[in-house]
Amino acid sequence: AVDEALVATAKAVTAAVAGRRGAEQTSCYHPDAILAFSQGANFATMLAAMAEHSDGAPPMLKAVVLFCGARPGWTRQLPDLFSERDKLRTPALVVAAEPDPVVHDGPRAMAALFDDATLLTHAEGHKPLPSADRAACEALVRAVTDFLVARCCCGHCSQTTSSGDGGGDESASPVS
């Protein structure tokens, strides 16, 4: 059975993703990347697919970061966006929790939708970041940051971070 609400929502956002915004939105701004968790990861995957299929243009999104997304059974409901032979070209960082009692192996199935997917894991269940293991949390945050900087940073930004003093002054160190 087709989920009519899902299809209606997908059609409603297609115009925005394709750049056909209303008169109140006249800027050419669009996001470089989407970072999403759980059901949001599912929706972000649909947005990436819509961006890739809009007017034959190259992908609008430079990357997606998907935390604990569900098994993508909804791809069958959007056959114009997803096919067995054509994987999504948007680079994806997919984070799975092992074990995840909510979405089980969903992130691995979601990663298979992308041609360029990196799969990372943490051991603290259905949450975007581990909280009990500070080192694991810091490593995952660093991996996400590195992934986004490598794909989204352009000539308008520097690949440096603040020295950590909160002042945002000129002292900076390279992102590692």
PDB file of all heavy atoms in Angstrom, residues 93-111:
ATOM      1  N   LEU A  93      27.561  10.111   4.966  1.00  0.00           N
ATOM      2  CA  LEU A  93      28.158   9.537   6.161  1.00  0.00           C
ATOM      3  C   LEU A  93      26.987   8.972   6.953  1.00  0.00           C
ATOM      4  O   LEU A  93      26.085   9.716   7.350  1.00  0.00           O
ATOM      5  CB  LEU A  93      28.908  10.584   6.981  1.00  0.00           C
ATOM      6  CG  LEU A  93      29.504  10.089   8.302  1.00  0.00           C
ATOM      7  CD1 LEU A  93      30.526   8.987   8.058  1.00  0.00           C
ATOM      8  CD2 LEU A  93      30.140  11.237   9.052  1.00  0.00           C
ATOM      9  N   VAL A  94      26.968   7.668   7.136  1.00  0.00           N
ATOM     10  CA  VAL A  94      25.862   6.995   7.805  1.00  0.00           C
ATOM     11  C   VAL A  94      26.372   6.456   9.136  1.00  0.00           C
ATOM     12  O   VAL A  94      27.383   5.747   9.177  1.00  0.00           O
ATOM     13  CB  VAL A  94      25.300   5.853   6.928  1.00  0.00           C
ATOM     14  CG1 VAL A  94      24.142   5.159   7.630  1.00  0.00           C
ATOM     15  CG2 VAL A  94      24.873   6.393   5.562  1.00  0.00           C
ATOM     16  N   VAL A  95      25.683   6.808  10.202  1.00  0.00           N
ATOM     17  CA  VAL A  95      26.086   6.372  11.540  1.00  0.00           C
ATOM     18  C   VAL A  95      25.052   5.376  12.052  1.00  0.00           C
ATOM     19  O   VAL A  95      23.853   5.669  12.080  1.00  0.00           O
ATOM     20  CB  VAL A  95      26.206   7.567  12.509  1.00  0.00           C
ATOM     21  CG1 VAL A  95      26.589   7.087  13.906  1.00  0.00           C
ATOM     22  CG2 VAL A  95      27.237   8.569  11.981  1.00  0.00           C
ATOM     23  N   ALA A  96      25.535   4.209  12.448  1.00  0.00           N
ATOM     24  CA  ALA A  96      24.680   3.158  12.992  1.00  0.00           C
ATOM     25  C   ALA A  96      25.034   2.933  14.449  1.00  0.00           C
ATOM     26  O   ALA A  96      26.198   3.003  14.834  1.00  0.00           O
ATOM     27  CB  ALA A  96      24.890   1.864  12.207  1.00  0.00           C
ATOM     28  N   ALA A  97      24.023   2.667  15.242  1.00  0.00           N
ATOM     29  CA  ALA A  97      24.243   2.264  16.631  1.00  0.00           C
ATOM     30  C   ALA A  97      24.123   0.749  16.678  1.00  0.00           C
ATOM     31  O   ALA A  97      23.224   0.174  16.066  1.00  0.00           O
ATOM     32  CB  ALA A  97      23.209   2.902  17.542  1.00  0.00           C
ATOM     33  N   GLU A  98      25.045   0.128  17.358  1.00  0.00           N
ATOM     34  CA  GLU A  98      25.006  -1.329  17.471  1.00  0.00           C
ATOM     35  C   GLU A  98      25.104  -1.713  18.937  1.00  0.00           C
ATOM     36  O   GLU A  98      26.133  -1.448  19.558  1.00  0.00           O
ATOM     37  CB  GLU A  98      26.124  -1.948  16.644  1.00  0.00           C
ATOM     38  CG  GLU A  98      25.908  -1.712  15.162  1.00  0.00           C
ATOM     39  CD  GLU A  98      27.017  -2.304  14.304  1.00  0.00           C
ATOM     40  OE1 GLU A  98      28.066  -2.690  14.851  1.00  0.00           O
ATOM     41  OE2 GLU A  98      26.821  -2.372  13.097  1.00  0.00           O
ATOM     42  N   PRO A  99      24.067  -2.247  19.483  1.00  0.00           N
ATOM     43  CA  PRO A  99      22.797  -2.576  18.853  1.00  0.00           C
ATOM     44  C   PRO A  99      21.862  -1.358  18.825  1.00  0.00           C
ATOM     45  O   PRO A  99      22.016  -0.434  19.610  1.00  0.00           O
ATOM     46  CB  PRO A  99      22.219  -3.651  19.770  1.00  0.00           C
ATOM     47  CG  PRO A  99      22.730  -3.279  21.134  1.00  0.00           C
ATOM     48  CD  PRO A  99      24.108  -2.703  20.894  1.00  0.00           C
ATOM     49  N   ASP A 100      20.903  -1.390  17.897  1.00  0.00           N
ATOM     50  CA  ASP A 100      19.873  -0.353  17.828  1.00  0.00           C
ATOM     51  C   ASP A 100      18.520  -1.051  17.839  1.00  0.00           C
ATOM     52  O   ASP A 100      18.084  -1.602  16.827  1.00  0.00           O
ATOM     53  CB  ASP A 100      20.020   0.496  16.572  1.00  0.00           C
ATOM     54  CG  ASP A 100      19.097   1.708  16.571  1.00  0.00           C
ATOM     55  OD1 ASP A 100      17.996   1.631  17.164  1.00  0.00           O
ATOM     56  OD2 ASP A 100      19.468   2.729  15.984  1.00  0.00           O
ATOM     57  N   PRO A 101      17.846  -1.044  18.995  1.00  0.00           N
ATOM     58  CA  PRO A 101      16.575  -1.760  19.105  1.00  0.00           C
ATOM     59  C   PRO A 101      15.423  -1.086  18.346  1.00  0.00           C
ATOM     60  O   PRO A 101      14.363  -1.677  18.204  1.00  0.00           O
ATOM     61  CB  PRO A 101      16.303  -1.757  20.612  1.00  0.00           C
ATOM     62  CG  PRO A 101      17.003  -0.539  21.115  1.00  0.00           C
ATOM     63  CD  PRO A 101      18.222  -0.391  20.245  1.00  0.00           C
ATOM     64  N   VAL A 102      15.638   0.105  17.840  1.00  0.00           N
ATOM     65  CA  VAL A 102      14.575   0.822  17.136  1.00  0.00           C
ATOM     66  C   VAL A 102      14.637   0.564  15.634  1.00  0.00           C
ATOM     67  O   VAL A 102      13.645   0.175  15.020  1.00  0.00           O
ATOM     68  CB  VAL A 102      14.631   2.339  17.443  1.00  0.00           C
ATOM     69  CG1 VAL A 102      13.572   3.098  16.667  1.00  0.00           C
ATOM     70  CG2 VAL A 102      14.486   2.588  18.936  1.00  0.00           C
ATOM     71  N   VAL A 103      15.788   0.799  15.008  1.00  0.00           N
ATOM     72  CA  VAL A 103      15.890   0.670  13.541  1.00  0.00           C
ATOM     73  C   VAL A 103      16.725  -0.528  13.093  1.00  0.00           C
ATOM     74  O   VAL A 103      16.872  -0.754  11.894  1.00  0.00           O
ATOM     75  CB  VAL A 103      16.423   1.969  12.899  1.00  0.00           C
ATOM     76  CG1 VAL A 103      15.475   3.124  13.161  1.00  0.00           C
ATOM     77  CG2 VAL A 103      17.822   2.297  13.369  1.00  0.00           C
ATOM     78  N   HIS A 104      17.269  -1.280  14.032  1.00  0.00           N
ATOM     79  CA  HIS A 104      18.021  -2.508  13.749  1.00  0.00           C
ATOM     80  C   HIS A 104      19.106  -2.272  12.685  1.00  0.00           C
ATOM     81  O   HIS A 104      20.004  -1.496  12.915  1.00  0.00           O
ATOM     82  CB  HIS A 104      17.061  -3.639  13.391  1.00  0.00           C
ATOM     83  CG  HIS A 104      15.983  -3.805  14.402  1.00  0.00           C
ATOM     84  ND1 HIS A 104      16.201  -4.389  15.626  1.00  0.00           N
ATOM     85  CD2 HIS A 104      14.677  -3.414  14.398  1.00  0.00           C
ATOM     86  CE1 HIS A 104      15.083  -4.366  16.341  1.00  0.00           C
ATOM     87  NE2 HIS A 104      14.144  -3.783  15.619  1.00  0.00           N
ATOM     88  N   ASP A 105      19.001  -2.902  11.531  1.00  0.00           N
ATOM     89  CA  ASP A 105      20.036  -2.772  10.494  1.00  0.00           C
ATOM     90  C   ASP A 105      19.685  -1.698   9.463  1.00  0.00           C
ATOM     91  O   ASP A 105      20.269  -1.648   8.388  1.00  0.00           O
ATOM     92  CB  ASP A 105      20.286  -4.111   9.806  1.00  0.00           C
ATOM     93  CG  ASP A 105      19.089  -4.576   8.988  1.00  0.00           C
ATOM     94  OD1 ASP A 105      17.980  -4.054   9.191  1.00  0.00           O
ATOM     95  OD2 ASP A 105      19.265  -5.474   8.142  1.00  0.00           O
ATOM     96  N   GLY A 106      18.761  -0.818   9.794  1.00  0.00           N
ATOM     97  CA  GLY A 106      18.341   0.245   8.882  1.00  0.00           C
ATOM     98  C   GLY A 106      19.476   1.086   8.319  1.00  0.00           C
ATOM     99  O   GLY A 106      19.514   1.347   7.109  1.00  0.00           O
ATOM    100  N   PRO A 107      20.425   1.527   9.145  1.00  0.00           N
ATOM    101  CA  PRO A 107      21.507   2.351   8.599  1.00  0.00           C
ATOM    102  C   PRO A 107      22.332   1.638   7.529  1.00  0.00           C
ATOM    103  O   PRO A 107      22.736   2.255   6.537  1.00  0.00           O
ATOM    104  CB  PRO A 107      22.357   2.680   9.828  1.00  0.00           C
ATOM    105  CG  PRO A 107      21.385   2.634  10.963  1.00  0.00           C
ATOM    106  CD  PRO A 107      20.458   1.493  10.608  1.00  0.00           C
ATOM    107  N   ARG A 108      22.578   0.353   7.683  1.00  0.00           N
ATOM    108  CA  ARG A 108      23.337  -0.385   6.666  1.00  0.00           C
ATOM    109  C   ARG A 108      22.550  -0.446   5.350  1.00  0.00           C
ATOM    110  O   ARG A 108      23.118  -0.271   4.272  1.00  0.00           O
ATOM    111  CB  ARG A 108      23.669  -1.785   7.151  1.00  0.00           C
ATOM    112  CG  ARG A 108      24.679  -1.768   8.284  1.00  0.00           C
ATOM    113  CD  ARG A 108      25.047  -3.169   8.742  1.00  0.00           C
ATOM    114  NE  ARG A 108      25.849  -3.125   9.944  1.00  0.00           N
ATOM    115  CZ  ARG A 108      27.127  -2.774   9.998  1.00  0.00           C
ATOM    116  NH1 ARG A 108      27.756  -2.425   8.920  1.00  0.00           N
ATOM    117  NH2 ARG A 108      27.771  -2.769  11.149  1.00  0.00           N
ATOM    118  N   ALA A 109      21.253  -0.660   5.443  1.00  0.00           N
ATOM    119  CA  ALA A 109      20.419  -0.678   4.241  1.00  0.00           C
ATOM    120  C   ALA A 109      20.353   0.715   3.620  1.00  0.00           C
ATOM    121  O   ALA A 109      20.357   0.863   2.394  1.00  0.00           O
ATOM    122  CB  ALA A 109      19.016  -1.182   4.588  1.00  0.00           C
ATOM    123  N   MET A 110      20.322   1.741   4.463  1.00  0.00           N
ATOM    124  CA  MET A 110      20.296   3.117   3.961  1.00  0.00           C
ATOM    125  C   MET A 110      21.611   3.444   3.252  1.00  0.00           C
ATOM    126  O   MET A 110      21.616   4.059   2.188  1.00  0.00           O
ATOM    127  CB  MET A 110      20.053   4.094   5.111  1.00  0.00           C
ATOM    128  CG  MET A 110      19.847   5.529   4.667  1.00  0.00           C
ATOM    129  SD  MET A 110      19.348   6.567   6.044  1.00  0.00           S
ATOM    130  CE  MET A 110      17.627   6.079   6.176  1.00  0.00           C
ATOM    131  N   ALA A 111      22.728   3.034   3.820  1.00  0.00           N
ATOM    132  CA  ALA A 111      24.033   3.287   3.200  1.00  0.00           C
ATOM    133  C   ALA A 111      24.108   2.662   1.812  1.00  0.00           C
ATOM    134  O   ALA A 111      24.743   3.218   0.907  1.00  0.00           O
ATOM    135  CB  ALA A 111      25.152   2.758   4.088  1.00  0.00           C
TER     136      ALA A 111
END
